[in-house]
Amino acid sequence: MEKLPEKEDKDFLIARKVQEAMIPHSLPAIEGIDIASLYHPCSTVGGDLFDVIHISEDMLAFLIFDVSGHGVSSALIASMAKLAFLNHIRNVASPRSLIERVNKEIVQHALADYFITAFAAFLDLHNNKLSYCNAGHPPPLVFKKEDRQLVSLGTSGLFIGIFEDGLYEEKILYLNPGDWLVLFSNGIYSLFNSENELQGRKRLELEILRKLDDCSPAGLVECFDSKLNDLQQTRALDDDLTAIVIEVLTASRKNQIKDKLGFDPKAPVYLMFINYFEEMDRATAVILKEMDEFGYPDDSIRKMKIALTELLANAIYHGNKKDHTKKVTIGHITTKHHVTVAIMDEGEGFDIDAVPDPTLPENLEKDCGRGLFIVRNYVDFVDYNEKGNRVIIRKHRITDS
């Protein structure tokens, strides 16, 4: 290989350092989700970049894009695009909005000689809803375990960096335990067929179907890596190669939380999370408003407010020991017959039977057990789990009729 002039050496070195800073060196550890990735530029620097971003407790984002061409210019535009994605990703409600904002930014600031294919997806960990938008990128594949089908995630929309209005479309797909999501750049087709992308995609799909029953996402990535090593024995890679592989291991996060709270996973439970005393009123107001809408008497609403305030304060103060990095999880169902609320903290729990009875003469002046006594008298049902860090209360709707 001919040695580059010293100035070009420095340019490549700078571009490579910039791009290395844009590549995630570790992936988020998410309960119930297994993720692996592969990144291999065809030269010192490349036009592919990707990321997996834990946007919030309940939302995970997947991003992969490919800048046309190779070399320093493509790498720098890729870095510009990555920064644009990161600047907007926490301030938008959907992948379509994200793609639209990045497109406008690239159109305004990047050279017209380059365009970008991109795919962005948001996975809601509460219900495993995958919202996605594709801007001319090779459609990722979802393997649906139940019917053993591959679903191609294509949407309408132009490349990024061509027109200010890219006519982008957003679609939704729900994932189930055992389903896989495979994102990749078109360089991966060369691992299966060096001449024809269509044939390469068909062979990629067959490889995925063949491998998924007996390997993990890391195993599929290792398979791609092995094919890459074999390919490089005969010729140089002529395109950047990037892949992200995701497997949904368990039921949705929302269903897991419902189960821990003591609800049927199929029940229409409204979930809320708080960390601070100042957030108690907001959470309580949601439940009391629903009770009012269902026609619960004012006295029932008043007593429920007192009971909720007592239990939430206990969860923050005694359960989580005022450690505001820990959360209190609240789930409730309100019907015209009764309202059921479950409250769970992240503390060590306590023995409910060991709490003194505040009505006994020897305990009248002790500051213990009074809140729980009030709760038991203000609601119709109280039940603690064995650990003592979750309580379920129920209040029936009582009318004069």
Side-chain angles (χ1 to χ4, degrees):
M1 179 177 178
E2 184 179 352
K3 182 176 175 57
L4 292 169
E6 184 176 350
K7 183 179 182 302
E8 292 188 33
D9 273 345
K10 290 181 179 179
D11 289 344
F12 267 89
L13 181 60
I14 293 171
R16 183 174 183 176
K17 287 184 176 180
V18 170
Q19 191 168 46
E20 284 178 348
M22 295 288 130
I23 301 166
H25 297 288
S26 63
L27 301 174
I30 307 296
E31 180 183 357
I33 304 290
D34 191 10
I35 311 172
S37 65
L38 173 69
Y39 174 77
H40 192 93
C42 69
S43 60
T44 306
V45 292
D48 285 8
L49 279 177
F50 74 97
D51 213 339
V52 180
I53 304 166
H54 203 182
I55 298 177
S56 68
E57 182 178 16
D58 305 319
M59 193 69 69
L60 193 62
F62 304 105
L63 170 66
I64 187 169
F65 60 91
D66 182 4
V67 177
S68 60
H70 310 291
V72 173
S73 299
S74 294
L76 293 179
I77 290 178
S79 299
M80 178 194 301
K82 178 68 177 290
L83 289 174
F85 276 111
L86 293 180
N87 285 339
H88 294 297
I89 200 163
R90 298 183 190 278
N91 301 314
V92 296
S94 70
R96 176 183 176 180
S97 299
L98 176 63
I99 294 287
E100 287 175 342
R101 290 193 184 190
V102 172
N103 177 61
K104 289 181 180 179
E105 194 166 320
I106 296 299
V107 167
Q108 292 174 0
H109 300 294
L111 297 174
D113 296 338
Y114 294 88
F115 63 85
I116 302 168
T117 69
F119 178 89
F122 289 1
L123 178 63
D124 188 332
L125 299 172
H126 266 172
N127 54 11
N128 288 343
K129 180 178 75 173
L130 185 76
S131 306
Y132 61 93
C133 181
N134 196 327
H137 197 78
L141 293 166
V142 167
F143 170 73
K144 302 293 290 180
K145 182 179 181 180
E146 185 174 355
D147 54 13
R148 297 194 60 78
Q149 294 293 319
L150 283 174
V151 179
S152 181
L153 303 186
T155 67
S156 62
L158 302 174
F159 301 143
I160 289 176
I162 303 298
F163 300 107
E164 284 198 11
D165 184 358
L167 304 174
Y168 300 113
E169 178 187 21
E170 182 170 313
K171 292 183 179 180
I172 292 173
L173 180 71
Y174 284 87
L175 303 181
N176 297 307
D179 290 352
W180 289 56
L181 170 62
V182 185
L183 294 77
F184 47 85
S185 62
N186 57 6
I188 203 166
Y189 298 145
S190 63
L191 303 183
F192 301 90
N193 186 297
S194 60
E195 303 297 331
N196 187 307
E197 281 197 2
L198 179 61
Q199 187 64 33
R201 185 176 179 89
K202 289 181 179 179
R203 292 182 180 179
L204 168 64
E205 292 175 357
L206 290 174
E207 185 71 15
I208 292 173
L209 288 172
R210 186 173 70 86
K211 284 286 186 181
L212 293 191
D213 284 334
D214 59 1
C215 77
S216 64
L220 186 59
V221 165
E222 287 177 6
C223 169
F224 294 157
D225 208 24
S226 176
K227 289 182 176 295
L228 173 61
N229 290 333
D230 292 341
L231 175 67
Q232 290 178 317
Q233 298 300 317
T234 59
R235 64 179 180 86
L237 191 65
D238 57 10
D239 200 356
D240 305 327
L241 196 157
T242 305
I244 314 171
V245 184
I246 304 101
E247 180 183 9
V248 179
L249 300 176
T250 62
S252 73
R253 175 76 60 86
K254 186 173 183 178
N255 286 346
Q256 294 176 46
I257 295 172
K258 287 181 186 179
D259 183 63
K260 290 179 180 179
L261 288 174
F263 291 104
D264 185 323
K266 295 181 180 179
V269 181
Y270 188 106
L271 294 176
M272 295 179 284
F273 307 90
I274 66 173
N275 302 80
Y276 298 90
F277 293 110
E278 294 81 1
E279 298 171 321
M280 295 193 315
D281 286 345
R282 170 182 57 81
T284 301
V286 173
I287 300 171
L288 300 183
K289 180 182 178 182
E290 290 183 4
M291 293 178 68
D292 183 55
E293 290 172 348
F294 275 103
Y296 283 71
D298 290 343
D299 186 59
S300 293
I301 295 175
R302 178 183 65 82
K303 289 180 177 179
M304 176 59 85
K305 180 178 181 179
I306 293 171
L308 289 173
T309 301
E310 178 64 33
L311 292 174
L312 292 174
N314 280 347
I316 296 172
Y317 187 86
H318 296 293
N320 290 343
K321 308 295 184 186
K322 294 191 290 185
D323 180 352
H324 299 305
T325 64
K326 295 181 178 180
K327 66 179 180 292
V328 175
T329 303
I330 310 156
H332 78 276
I333 301 175
T334 307
T335 72
K336 64 180 180 180
H337 301 295
H338 54 76
V339 54
T340 303
V341 183
I343 298 171
M344 181 173 64
D345 60 60
E346 297 182 355
E348 298 300 320
F350 72 106
D351 182 0
I352 185 65
D353 295 326
V355 177
D357 182 348
T359 64
L360 295 177
E362 63 270 24
N363 296 326
L364 291 179
E365 296 183 4
K366 294 180 180 178
D367 186 19
C368 58
R370 295 176 186 174
L372 297 182
F373 176 79
I374 293 173
V375 170
R376 290 188 186 279
N377 284 273
Y378 275 15
V379 300
D380 300 301
F381 172 82
V382 180
D383 180 63
Y384 279 86
N385 63 352
E386 183 176 353
K387 183 177 179 180
N389 72 327
R390 186 213 67 200
V391 61
I392 297 176
I393 61 173
R394 185 172 298 119
K395 185 71 176 174
H396 297 293
R397 179 174 174 265
I398 301 173
T399 63
D400 295 332
S401 58

